[in-house]
Amino acid sequence: MARKIVFLLVLLLGLILASVSAYAATDDGTTAPNTGLTNDKVSSVYKPGTIASIDTASTSPDAAAASDLQNSIPPQASPGTEANIPEEEEESFGYEKYILDYLDPAAETTENFLVNIKWNQKDPVNNPLNYVLTGTVKQDSENGSPLIVMLFINADGVYIPLVCADGSNVIEVSGVAFVSRTDLLYLGSDKVNEIRIIAFRKEDADNLIPGVNLQITDKLITAKKTVIIPVPINLDSVLDALKVK
């Protein structure tokens, strides 16, 4: 009888130990055969077609800087409305915001009813790309509103500012004439500098109408380098020519 009781106790103890071992084996995070369990807890959260969430508290400094930059961009206006730009920032956009539509190479030109500009090479030998601009205002309003002349040059199909000697492509004229200087882009007979001149009165900047208060002029210039070829002079022949017969 005592042997049977001892045998039952040993058997019961063995069953208890086997149960504890089985529980520990299924709780260590390993994959059990023929089950959907996985030890990759990160990948198990992601499902195709979903976007993983990002902990904003652990965002990197670069991401935070990008977020600040995005927040600093003024909101874009809906079609048909004006952008809500603070007055102190609006001035920094310059006159370009008024004439962007007229920088399309396909935009039609107008007559020169505001200003005429002549282009002359400054130094065709040493710097053939340097040109002098001489402008003459054709109409001078009585209220004295300055004339704004903007210069652009076609570079690979896109009009970019043609910067003058003062570091700007905008010339503000208060009188009836002006002189400036600039460098073109292309040198040689096979390269044409396509220049676009946009002129308007400062008071009309926010209400421009081509041919009415806005002048659009295209100018084509081929900048050629002038080469001075020395001509040999025979001194004896010159002296003989100067002799009095």
Side-chain angles (χ1 to χ4, degrees), residues 23-32 39 41:
Y23 175 78
T26 58
D27 193 50
D28 62 357
T30 59
T31 302
N39 63 343
K41 295 183 175 60

Side-chain angles (χ1 to χ4, degrees), residues 1 40 70 82 102 113 120 156 174 181 186 208 245:
M1 186 64 181
D40 188 358
Q70 180 66 28
E82 295 184 356
Y102 309 114
F113 64 95
N120 296 298
D156 297 328
S174 298
R181 184 165 45 86
Y186 304 114
L208 296 175
K245 295 182 181 180

